[in-house]
Structures are given as C-alpha cells and as structure tokens.
Amino acid sequence: TSNDSKPCRVAVVGAGLVGTLNAIYFAQRGWHVDLFELRKDMRLPEVKATQRGKSINLALSERGLSALRNSGLDLDNLILEAAVPLHARMVHTTAGLQMSQAYGKKDQHINAVDRARLNEELLTIAEEFSNINIHFEHNLMKADLDKGELQFFTGTGNPEKTYHTDFLVGADGAYSRTRTQLMRRIRMYYEQEYIDTAYCELTMLPIKNKNGEDEFALDPHHLHIWPRHTFMLIALPNPDKTFTCTLFMPFGMFDELNTKELVLDFFKREFKDSVPLIGEEKLVEEYFNNPRGSLITIKCKPYHYQDRAVIIGDAAHAMVPFYGQGMNCGFQDVQVLHSILDKHGVKAKLSADGKIHGLHQAMEEYSKERSEDAHAICDLAMYNHYEMRSAVTSPLYLARKKLEAVLHSMFPTAVIPLYTMVSFTTIRYSDAIKRWNRQTWWINATATASAVTALGIGAGLGLRYGRPLIDAMSKY
Ligand code: FAD
C-alpha cells in the first residue's frame, strides 16, 4: 500500500514555551501534531491560582521575536501588546545612587513579558489548529525511538497510554526525559554544571501617585540591578505595574540569613533603597516562603537520533539566566530547525516507503549547527553572571563600553558591541563570539595607540576588559 497520502506525525513532548511554539510551526507545515504536557492545562482557573513557575517574567529580545514573527501569525505583536520595553540597565549603588546604562542605540530595547501569559497565548493559538491535539497530564515515561512508540503516565483511569509517532521532538526542559531516552540510543556528549547560586523571587507592589492611581515603584523602562560582586538583586517590571525582584546569592548565604532581623539588616545594608519599596513585612515573608531555585548549565550533542527524534530548548541546552537568552535561544531553535527542514525539502506527507525524506540529513545539519551556537550562549550566559554582579560598576568596564559604542556609531557593521549582537540581532551566537574576539583585538590596538596620549589608561582598559572573555572564549 502507498503511504503517499498519509501526513507525517510528530509528537512534541513538553507544552512549555518552546514546545508549544514548535507545535505551531509543525502544524503550519501541514504535519499532524500531538503535543504532550505532564502538567494540567495552565489556563484552568484552579491551576492559575496555585501556579508558581520558574520565573514570573522574562526578557524577550530579537531572537525570540524573530521566531514569533516568522510563524506568520503576527505572534510577535500579540506578545508585545502586553510587554514593558526596557531600554537600559539601572545600576543601584550601595549608597542608593542610580546610574543608567543604555543597552544599545536609542530605539533598541528588550521586552519584559509575563511568562504565564506568553505560554497561555501560545497554547490558545495551538489549540485553534485542527491538526494539533494537546494532551495534558501526560508524563512521558519511555520511548522506543526505532518503533516511534511512546509511553505516558496519565494518572487517570487506565493510567498508562501508548502513542505512535513518525518523529519525536523533546521540548521537556532541563531535566528532559526525552534526552535520557536519546542517551540510551546514541553516544551523546553530555556535561552539566550547577553554580553555587540560588535565586528567590520577591514582589515590589505599585505605589500610589498623587491622583491615587497605581504607579511603578521604580522607572519601568529599566532592568534594575544592585550588583554586589558575590550576590545581586535585580528587578524587572510587569505590565500590572509591579516589579518582580530576584535575589541571586550563594546557597550558604541564604542559609546564614536565617532570621527576620538578619534578613532585614542585610537588605538595609546592601539594597537599602529597595526595602521601603518592597516593604519590610512582605520582604521577610517572601524571603522565607518563596521557593529557592538552583541554576544549571547543560551542554550536550548531538541533539538527534537519525530521523526519529530531536531535542530542543532547555532539554538540549540549559543555561544560567544572566543573558536573558534561555527562551530566546529555544525560540530560535524552532526557527532554525524549520528553516533547515525547508532547505532539505522535508514534506508534510510520508513517502511511499513510509519514510520522511530529507529528515535524517536535516537533523544532522541541525544538531551540528545548533550545538555550536547553544554551547556558545551557555558560555556567554556564564560570563554575563560576572559582568552583571561585578563589572558593571567598574570605571574601566564603562569606559570600554563607551569606546565600543563610539566605534559602533562610526563603523556600524565592523564593530558591534557584544550585547547588541546577542540581544538585537540574530547573528549566530558562535559568530558573535568570534566577531567579539576580533573586535577586542582592534579595540586593544586602538587603545594601545591612544595610550601615548592618554597616559596609558586606554591600554590598560582594552587589555583588562578584553582578557576574561577572551580567555573563556579561546576555544572559539
Ligand atoms: P520549560 O519551560 O522547562 O518547559 C518544559 C515543559 O515540558 C514543561 O511544561 C514541563 O511540564 C514539560 N515536561 C517536562 N517533563 C515532561 C514529561 N516527562 N512529559 C511531558 N511533559 C514534560 N530566558 C529568556 O529568554 N529570558 C529571560 O529573561 C529568562 N529569565 C530566566 C530567569 C530564571 C530565574 C530562569 C530559571 C530562567 C530564565 N530564562 C530566561 C530561561 C527560560 O525560562 C527557559 O529557557 C525556557 O523556559 C525554556 O523553555 P522550554 O520550553 O525549553 O522548557
């Protein structure tokens, strides 16, 4: 019998941000999509009431926007409708001073978005496709990749269910079970690293303006940071005029600050302008009761097994959150994956032999290209941890930023600041690092030349602030 009229079936495991966008992309290719999610539907009122996700809000930038735009459904504008644009960092000193540091040119900004709303909007759009079936409360237990047989635990009635698929996409997050199943089948390179930093979220409510209306407690168009070298506090605005603050601190410090008095003393000493805005009582209540998260980097490769399975998003590459790129990178995975499927002429129908032609070669190319880029952004995210909690307060760092910005305005395509390449372009992450290394060489050369007239400051500047990244990135 001919399979010619049968649509290809894809099973996407994980209806988080990346899995749901990927389901939409596959549906638009004309594939039949089964989207499996272990949790209940997050849009149900009873689930909403109890929900506490990984982080309340996220910074969405060009890579993520580009993938939303490329869906052809105007998803970027839908999501931006309820986003708060952030044009700059606001650095808060211990003395309570605030210094604004622009992210890029005047019109360039990142966007604070509500994680739950973003996921809910994507689910609602996915549901509108007649060729997407969403299965909530389906926990992937096991996958026979060669047979395309997936076993789920559903917790209701007859709890174990088996489904068949032509292709499996694992978008089931950092602790991916799809990845574990893949590892049983291929010789996967795998490394993971936990950093000695925990995080805890605190809420900063709106204040009342003179007309009695709610107003943001801090300037809403900034990402606020209180950098203190070994720990830091950050705050991102939400559309409802609250801020979500995140305290990043070594686990041991969390353990030591174990009484109300110690916590308040610490906040008043280190982040004093934040205390009246959060409120002492709420600060203490949330510090002790909100969950504490850990931060992991995961690098692995390859991402696929023949033409049977692939992992994307955090399942393939978890990173520390300091570049605000985890979701952006996952969304870009989806765009890159589908452009490679297009390039290899992968169709929506099975061929007569029951295979999906071009898929195996497409997956080889995807794994190779994307693992290089994902490993690069994992390294950059780790580097930005140092930059955000420490370097931003250094005059040398600021001088280099200024010099780079001047060179960028004079030679816009030759010199592009690293932050701009990562957040405001879709240049491959691995290329961004290579370019940055080349630029640093030129900046050092310029600085060395100007040192003659600038009392040697320029040379010191280029060398000191080029070094840490160059050392870390020497493998690129
Ligand atoms: P997840 O969001 O983890 O979703 C995985 C889904 O799979 C979940 O719904 C889960 O329930 C489901 N699942 C898991 N196992 C199974 C199973 N066995 N069967 C079925 N379903 C399963 N990124 C940014 O771009 N910008 C930011 O500003 C930013 N800030 C962050 C701040 C913090 C504190 C943290 C921790 C992360 C941040 N990130 C940020 C990263 C971002 O949260 C992740 O990269 C993103 O959520 C990854 O999406 P995902 O869909 O791949 O995985």
Side-chain angles (χ1 to χ4, degrees):
T1 59
S2 162
N3 283 308
D4 218 22
S5 56
K6 276 197 185 164
C8 303
R9 297 180 70 97
V10 59
V12 180
V13 178
L17 300 169
V18 177
T20 313
L21 181 65
N22 184 51
I24 294 171
Y25 264 71
F26 267 109
Q28 286 196 305
R29 307 188 73 79
W31 287 41
H32 180 89
V33 185
D34 282 300
L35 177 59
F36 298 98
E37 168 54 46
L38 89 85
R39 294 177 301 185
K40 286 189 174 162
D41 186 346
M42 64 192 304
R43 296 164 299 172
L44 297 171
E46 69 267 27
V47 178
K48 269 185 159 182
T50 57
Q51 214 164 47
R52 259 211 81 92
K54 236 182 301 205
S55 61
I56 289 161
N57 52 19
L58 296 157
L60 172 66
S61 51
E62 182 51 27
R63 289 166 203 270
L65 283 170
S66 165
L68 292 171
R69 198 179 300 130
N70 202 252
S71 68
L73 296 172
D74 214 19
L75 293 182
D76 53 333
N77 286 323
L78 174 75
I79 300 308
L80 287 179
E81 262 171 32
V84 185
L86 306 174
H87 294 270
R89 275 177 189 153
M90 186 71 87
V91 175
H92 295 243
T93 68
T94 323
L97 298 175
Q98 299 188 21
M99 294 183 300
S100 175
Q101 299 176 2
Y103 279 130
K105 294 183 187 156
K106 263 208 184 90
D107 55 339
Q108 288 175 322
H109 58 82
I110 57 174
N111 307 281
V113 298
D114 181 329
R115 177 194 286 274
R117 175 182 177 265
L118 176 53
N119 212 150
E120 285 168 17
E121 293 282 7
L122 291 175
L123 282 170
T124 301
I125 286 162
E127 221 167 37
E128 283 166 13
F129 281 89
S130 60
N131 53 339
I132 300 185
N133 283 332
I134 311 183
H135 312 263
F136 292 105
E137 294 181 81
H138 274 62
N139 185 356
L140 177 76
M141 304 306 288
K142 244 178 125 180
D144 182 329
L145 300 179
D146 288 303
K147 288 191 192 147
E149 197 174 275
L150 311 177
Q151 281 174 31
F152 291 89
F153 185 79
T154 63
T156 48
N158 186 1
E160 274 164 39
K161 285 199 178 146
T162 304
Y163 292 80
H164 286 92
T165 189
D166 299 314
F167 186 51
L168 166 65
V169 181
D172 43 353
Y175 302 96
S176 167
R177 196 160 279 154
T178 313
R179 188 180 62 228
T180 322
Q181 298 298 300
L182 214 56
M183 280 171 157
R184 295 161 63 100
R185 213 64 197 78
I186 59 175
R187 288 174 295 119
M188 181 189 278
Y189 166 83
Y190 178 83
E191 71 175 77
Q192 71 171 48
E193 182 185 355
Y194 279 103
I195 59 168
D196 181 27
T197 298
Y199 71 93
C200 174
E201 290 187 328
L202 309 165
T203 325
M204 189 183 277
L205 296 175
I207 50 171
K208 295 279 178 210
N209 66 16
K210 47 183 184 298
N211 302 324
E213 295 152 352
D214 280 351
E215 204 163 85
F216 284 103
L218 292 165
D219 181 331
H221 298 302
H222 282 79
L223 190 156
H224 295 263
I225 50 178
W226 289 256
R228 302 292 182 262
H229 303 288
T230 47
F231 54 89
M232 70 173 167
L233 181 71
I234 70 167
L236 249 85
N238 297 303
D240 66 358
K241 298 199 162 46
T242 59
F243 272 89
T244 302
C245 307
T246 313
L247 174 63
F248 292 97
M249 196 162 74
F251 280 89
M253 278 182 78
F254 271 108
D255 293 342
E256 277 165 24
L257 297 176
N258 57 6
T259 66
K260 181 180 167 185
E261 292 71 29
L262 285 171
V263 172
L264 283 177
D265 281 354
F266 169 75
F267 266 78
K268 285 179 184 166
R269 187 171 66 244
E270 300 293 345
F271 317 121
K272 85 172 167 207
D273 54 336
S274 76
V275 178
L277 302 177
I278 301 174
E280 295 193 9
E281 209 172 306
K282 200 154 60 58
L283 194 163
V284 170
E285 197 266 319
E286 293 195 328
Y287 176 91
F288 287 108
N289 294 315
N290 285 356
R292 295 192 185 151
S294 51
L295 299 170
I296 192 168
T297 298
I298 292 174
K299 293 181 188 170
C300 62
K301 73 174 179 190
Y303 294 148
H304 74 292
Y305 169 57
Q306 296 178 357
D307 56 353
R308 310 300 302 179
V310 70
I311 45 174
I312 59 172
D314 275 19
H317 46 67
M319 65 195 74
V320 293
F322 305 107
Y323 230 120
Q325 283 294 311
M327 165 195 62
N328 286 289
C329 176
F331 279 179
Q332 194 177 33
D333 288 352
V334 175
Q335 190 176 349
V336 170
L337 178 78
H338 286 268
S339 75
I340 292 178
L341 292 179
D342 289 344
K343 186 174 150 194
H344 288 268
V346 174
K347 302 242 165 48
K349 299 270 167 69
L350 294 174
S351 340
D353 58 2
K355 292 242 167 221
I356 305 170
H357 277 197
L359 186 57
H360 190 177
Q361 294 89 323
M363 286 307 100
E364 300 255 314
E365 183 173 334
Y366 174 78
S367 252
K368 187 168 178 304
E369 171 174 331
R370 206 56 193 155
S371 59
E372 253 177 56
D373 289 324
H375 294 190
I377 186 61
C378 284
D379 290 344
L380 283 172
M382 201 67 103
Y383 165 76
N384 227 42
H385 186 206
Y386 152 77
E387 181 165 313
M388 274 180 92
R389 68 189 151 82
S390 239
V392 286
T393 54
S394 149
L396 289 170
Y397 164 86
L398 294 173
R400 170 169 178 152
K401 278 245 156 195
K402 281 248 153 60
L403 179 59
E404 231 170 23
V406 171
L407 290 172
H408 181 48
S409 63
M410 288 163 68
F411 313 106
T413 51
V415 176
I416 312 177
L418 182 62
Y419 190 88
T420 300
M421 287 193 274
V422 170
S423 303
F424 303 130
T425 77
T426 52
I427 296 175
R428 289 185 59 182
Y429 291 118
S430 54
D431 285 345
I433 293 183
K434 287 180 202 144
R435 284 187 72 134
W436 200 87
N437 281 337
R438 281 201 302 273
Q439 282 171 204
T440 301
W441 189 91
W442 281 109
I443 287 173
N444 284 345
T446 316
T448 308
S450 55
V452 179
T453 48
L455 302 169
I457 292 170
L461 189 174
L463 294 171
R464 282 189 59 182
Y465 282 90
R467 271 281 60 95
L469 186 57
I470 286 191
D471 291 344
M473 306 301 160
S474 54
K475 55 183 175 288
Y476 291 94

